[in-house]
Amino acid sequence: MKKLIAAINMSLDGVCDHTAMAPDEEVHQHYTDLLKEGAAILYGRITYQLMEDFWPNLVKNPSGNQALDDFAEAIHEIPKIVFSHTLNHLEWENAVLAKKALQDEVLALKQIADRDFFVGSPGLIISLMNLNLVDELQICVHPVVAGSGRLLFNNIQERNALKLVKTKIFSSGAIILNYEPIYAPGL
């Protein structure tokens, strides 16, 4: 069974708004490599629409920044599964609307996926954590205090114990923390 990895950027104070930080080439390369290894990425409507408005245009009109352009290609190519109650049609190539409820869709993917898959939307990450379906959290903490914005762990229902399994430090001061949730009664 393959893993569901929640991969997201956040500021030191827990804000996961993409405007609060500026990933550098090294961080973009990390995520490019990650996406190339994945079976699919899950998005909620809001994150999907943010991504759909930006990355396909960068594929058509490259920026000249190799790391950013490579990431644009990787995010463009990976299959995307979108969870939405309001969208009826998706424009982005390789994007489909989820046909099942979140829990059912993820459990089915875990059984059939040939590679690990990702979730990159804050709301979905929390929903999946509340369902005990996240196998790994990969949080890239950027060396910035945002001061305000959407907090990643704002709507967690219960305490979640985590085990640190790996770290990666970038020259910018950003650090990736890989955690495995410890799903056990009473924790």
Side-chain angles (χ1 to χ4, degrees):
M1 186 162 24
K2 296 303 176 182
K3 295 190 307 185
L4 174 60
I5 300 170
I8 196 157
N9 290 286
M10 76 178 193
S11 65
L12 192 58
D13 55 343
V15 173
C16 58
D17 181 334
H18 72 283
T19 62
M21 61 217 84
D24 65 4
E25 291 181 10
E26 202 176 7
V27 172
H28 274 117
Q29 187 60 54
H30 169 82
Y31 282 112
T32 298
D33 296 343
L34 188 71
L35 288 172
K36 286 181 178 181
E37 296 173 12
I41 189 164
L42 312 180
Y43 285 129
R45 178 189 58 81
I46 294 169
T47 304
Y48 170 78
Q49 288 179 314
L50 285 169
M51 301 295 239
E52 180 188 48
D53 285 344
F54 184 76
W55 295 111
N57 292 326
L58 197 59
V59 169
K60 291 177 191 167
N61 303 299
S63 69
N65 176 316
Q66 190 66 46
L68 189 63
D69 294 342
D70 289 348
F71 178 81
E73 285 290 337
I75 197 77
H76 184 69
E77 291 175 11
I78 192 168
K80 292 160 272 299
I81 301 168
V82 180
F83 292 84
S84 173
H85 298 293
T86 57
L87 293 176
N88 296 316
H89 177 74
L90 304 176
E91 296 292 326
W92 200 355
E93 190 177 306
N94 293 330
V96 296
L97 285 166
K99 293 178 176 48
K100 302 174 190 170
L102 180 62
Q103 182 172 2
D104 296 334
E105 191 83 40
V106 170
L107 289 172
L109 278 169
K110 284 186 175 197
Q111 294 298 321
I112 64 169
D114 59 345
R115 293 174 281 169
D116 293 340
F117 57 105
F118 311 107
V119 56
S121 293
L124 279 184
I125 290 171
I126 299 311
S127 294
L128 290 163
M129 285 183 71
N130 286 332
L131 292 168
N132 295 341
L133 290 174
V134 172
D135 299 299
E136 182 179 318
L137 283 164
Q138 186 179 114
I139 301 171
C140 185
V141 180
H142 292 262
V144 63
V145 175
S148 65
R150 182 179 186 168
L151 298 175
L152 177 57
F153 298 112
N154 203 27
N155 293 312
I156 289 290
Q157 293 173 350
E158 297 177 3
R159 180 178 179 268
N160 285 256
L162 305 170
K163 176 184 175 187
L164 182 65
V165 294
K166 185 169 64 170
T167 61
K168 182 176 183 178
I169 300 172
F170 297 100
S171 59
S172 66
I175 183 168
I176 291 190
L177 304 167
N178 291 73
Y179 291 103
E180 289 178 353
I182 302 169
Y183 295 122
L187 286 182

